[in-house]
Amino acid sequence: QGTLQFVVVKPVVGCTSLLVLGLDLYYDETYQYLMLTVYNISYTLALYYLLYFYLATKEVVGRFNPVLKFGAVKIPCTISAT
């Protein structure tokens, strides 16, 4: 549930940004700080719950080496998004 909240928050933030852009308020400092805060909290919670899930299932999935696979997917995605 903690990671799935990001699946809801991300599109809501995107649609809100489009709406605010249409109202010509996108570059308002208050809106930028609000979206930054919401997005960062959501992202942090999602990663926290992924870590929590991994720690709970470490013995079961340990032989598949999920940390390296997660890094192999996450690092290129992060680099390409910046």
Side-chain angles (χ1 to χ4, degrees):
Q1 290 177 350
T3 55
L4 288 179
Q5 56 81 26
F6 187 73
V7 174
V8 174
V9 170
K10 181 71 173 172
V12 169
V13 168
C15 291
T16 304
S17 293
L18 288 174
L19 178 68
V20 171
L21 182 63
L23 296 172
D24 205 27
L25 296 172
Y26 184 78
Y27 296 104
D28 182 50
E29 190 173 309
T30 304
Y31 172 74
Q32 290 295 318
Y33 282 124
L34 177 67
M35 285 297 114
L36 179 70
T37 303
V38 168
Y39 185 71
N40 281 336
I41 288 172
S42 176
Y43 203 93
T44 301
L45 282 173
L47 288 176
Y48 171 76
Y49 281 105
L50 277 175
L51 175 64
Y52 191 68
F53 177 75
Y54 169 71
L55 292 176
T57 61
K58 182 170 48 174
E59 292 177 10
V60 176
V61 298
R63 66 186 176 111
F64 298 110
N65 209 357
V67 175
L68 287 178
K69 291 178 184 178
F70 177 77
V73 171
K74 189 64 180 165
I75 290 171
C77 289
T78 303
I79 291 172
S80 66
T82 57

